[in-house]
Amino acid sequence: MIPTTVRIFVSTQPIDMRRSFDGLAAAAKQVIGEDPRSGALFVFTNRRSNRLKVLWWDKNGYCMLCKRLHQALFRLPSANDPSDRSVIVDGRGLHELLRGVASAPRPRQGRDRS
């Protein structure tokens, strides 16, 4: 359970999921505009919305949660203003985001054997 005092920032801009701890910490500072060591959680997704990473500082180091969906997508909360780089959610909002939403199955891309 996440304490209600913890701020959770969801980036509205997709991030390259090859980024690791330091790259996501830099994105928290540059994209979201917050100190990555503040104790807040920073949520990032990729352009296709099927991968998600959550970064937070735990007193003596960064922690990261990674999730990849196979037949669903992460539905980001909408920003009030299109220029907003992040949206603040509560624990319930993070839970809903992590669940993902079902998406239509994509047709398999195979070789034509005719």
Side-chain angles (χ1 to χ4, degrees):
M1 184 80 175
I2 298 172
T4 58
T5 57
V6 173
R7 295 181 308 155
I8 305 168
F9 296 93
V10 179
S11 175
T12 57
Q13 300 178 355
I15 294 289
D16 182 353
M17 284 293 120
R18 293 176 290 183
R19 290 189 184 199
S20 190
F21 297 97
D22 295 328
L24 291 177
K29 191 169 208 156
Q30 295 166 356
V31 175
I32 297 175
E34 293 288 329
D35 178 8
R37 293 185 178 189
S38 67
L41 276 67
F42 299 94
V43 182
F44 301 96
T45 59
N46 64 343
R47 190 173 308 280
R48 291 180 14 197
S49 295
N50 66 342
R51 294 174 191 243
L52 175 139
K53 288 185 178 181
V54 181
L55 178 78
W56 70 96
W57 179 260
D58 185 20
K59 297 183 184 176
N60 63 358
Y62 287 113
C63 300
M64 187 182 329
L65 167 84
C66 305
K67 186 168 183 179
R68 179 179 67 191
L69 298 176
H70 290 278
Q71 294 193 359
L73 298 172
F74 295 109
R75 181 177 296 158
L76 295 176
S78 56
N80 293 334
D81 185 337
S83 66
D84 289 344
R85 295 183 184 187
S86 66
V87 175
I88 298 176
V89 299
D90 59 6
R92 183 180 307 267
L94 179 61
H95 172 75
E96 290 296 318
L97 178 61
L98 289 172
R99 281 186 36 210
V101 294
S103 63
R106 293 184 299 194
R108 293 189 66 166
Q109 299 291 328
R111 294 190 325 202
D112 185 16
R113 298 184 185 256
S114 42

